[in-house]
Amino acid sequence: MDAEKLYEQLKKIQEAKGYYFNQDKERTLELLKGLITNKERYGYMVCPCRLAAGDRDHDKDIICPCVYRAPDVEEYGSCYCSLYVSKEWNEAETPHEYVPERRPPEKLLF
């Protein structure tokens, strides 16, 4: 699968849930390419902005869309990677702040 095809598939699904792709399409496509690479590498689309252990059970919290996306978008208007954002974030009605890592430190050690 290529990034453009994945973009079109996920866009429909995620926008219906209130999550939008970052309007910087070049960045979005790079992140989607990272998801595709991780799918080929690990067998699942793990977040391209985090280090994966390669163990699906260990990584389940960062399989995209990760479990941190909803609280990140709610609080900051963007997920950790800035792949998924709110409509207000894309329209610059929400400040583009740094989104801190929510993943617990013990999950970062593998």
Side-chain angles (χ1 to χ4, degrees), residues 37-60:
T37 297
N38 284 343
K39 170 102 169 133
E40 292 165 358
R41 183 179 293 148
Y42 303 115
Y44 49 93
M45 287 196 289
V46 68
C47 177
C49 301
R50 294 180 166 104
L51 288 175
D55 175 327
R56 188 181 187 97
D57 196 47
H58 180 87
D59 293 337
K60 66 184 174 188

Side-chain angles (χ1 to χ4, degrees), residues 83-100:
L83 175 62
Y84 289 109
V85 301
S86 67
K87 190 173 184 181
E88 295 78 18
W89 193 93
N90 264 343
E91 294 171 356
E93 295 171 11
T94 301
H96 294 189
E97 297 178 43
Y98 171 75
V99 178

Side-chain angles (χ1 to χ4, degrees), residues 22-88:
N22 186 328
Q23 66 184 354
D24 179 347
K25 193 163 182 189
E26 186 177 331
R27 172 156 174 78
T28 297
L29 290 175
E30 284 302 314
L31 291 167
L32 292 174
K33 286 176 191 172
L35 287 173
I36 293 165
T37 297
N38 284 343
K39 170 102 169 133
E40 292 165 358
R41 183 179 293 148
Y42 303 115
Y44 49 93
M45 287 196 289
V46 68
C47 177
C49 301
R50 294 180 166 104
L51 288 175
D55 175 327
R56 188 181 187 97
D57 196 47
H58 180 87
D59 293 337
K60 66 184 174 188
D61 62 322
I62 58 170
I63 294 174
C64 191
C66 73
V67 300
Y68 311 107
R69 177 184 71 171
D72 284 351
V73 172
E74 186 176 326
E75 187 172 346
Y76 297 98
S78 165
C79 72
Y80 183 70
C81 294
S82 300
L83 175 62
Y84 289 109
V85 301
S86 67
K87 190 173 184 181
E88 295 78 18

